[in-house]
Amino acid sequence: MRPSLLPLLVAFAAVVAAATLPAAEASYTPIANTSSLVIEQVANFSVIVYNLSNGKSLAFVSVVRGETERAVGGGTNYRLVILAEKTPRGSKGQFQCIVWGVPGTRSNTWKLLSFKAI
């Protein structure tokens, strides 16, 4: 091996090692005001998308609790527990949803990552 390649190989090895290290786990922060307009819009979005993709008929009622975290690559993850009602005038239940989005952007850039009954 030529001596001029050694620093380049060491630098390459350092980059590969850094790229293979596990990413620091993001942490969720509790939402202080779950009745804010933005949080209620995120929750309502999750119900609408769930209904459309699953042929269901739920109506958003309220946000029970929620948390946010900054998403890798930008945006925000919203983990919400919501109260929804089966329509027409059915039983109410709690659901957990995870939504990714960037506040202030169009709805077609938002994504429903999960939605399940709890």
Side-chain angles (χ1 to χ4, degrees), residues 29 35 37 40 49 59 81:
T29 304
S35 62
L37 180 60
E40 288 189 347
V49 171
V81 173

Side-chain angles (χ1 to χ4, degrees), residues 4-65:
S4 62
L5 290 179
L6 185 58
L8 182 61
L9 290 175
V10 171
F12 178 74
V15 169
V16 169
T20 58
L21 292 175
E25 187 173 318
S27 61
Y28 278 92
T29 304
I31 297 170
N33 181 9
T34 57
S35 62
S36 75
L37 180 60
V38 171
I39 300 305
E40 288 189 347
Q41 286 177 335
V42 171
N44 196 38
F45 167 84
S46 72
V47 172
I48 291 169
V49 171
Y50 175 76
N51 285 342
L52 290 172
S53 61
N54 293 287
K56 301 293 181 178
S57 186
L58 294 175
F60 169 71
V61 176
S62 65
V63 178
V64 177
R65 65 182 175 275

Side-chain angles (χ1 to χ4, degrees), residues 99-116:
V99 176
W100 173 88
V102 179
T105 62
R106 306 177 103 199
S107 63
N108 63 354
T109 61
W110 288 68
K111 292 181 178 25
L112 177 62
L113 303 177
S114 71
F115 192 97
K116 63 182 180 181

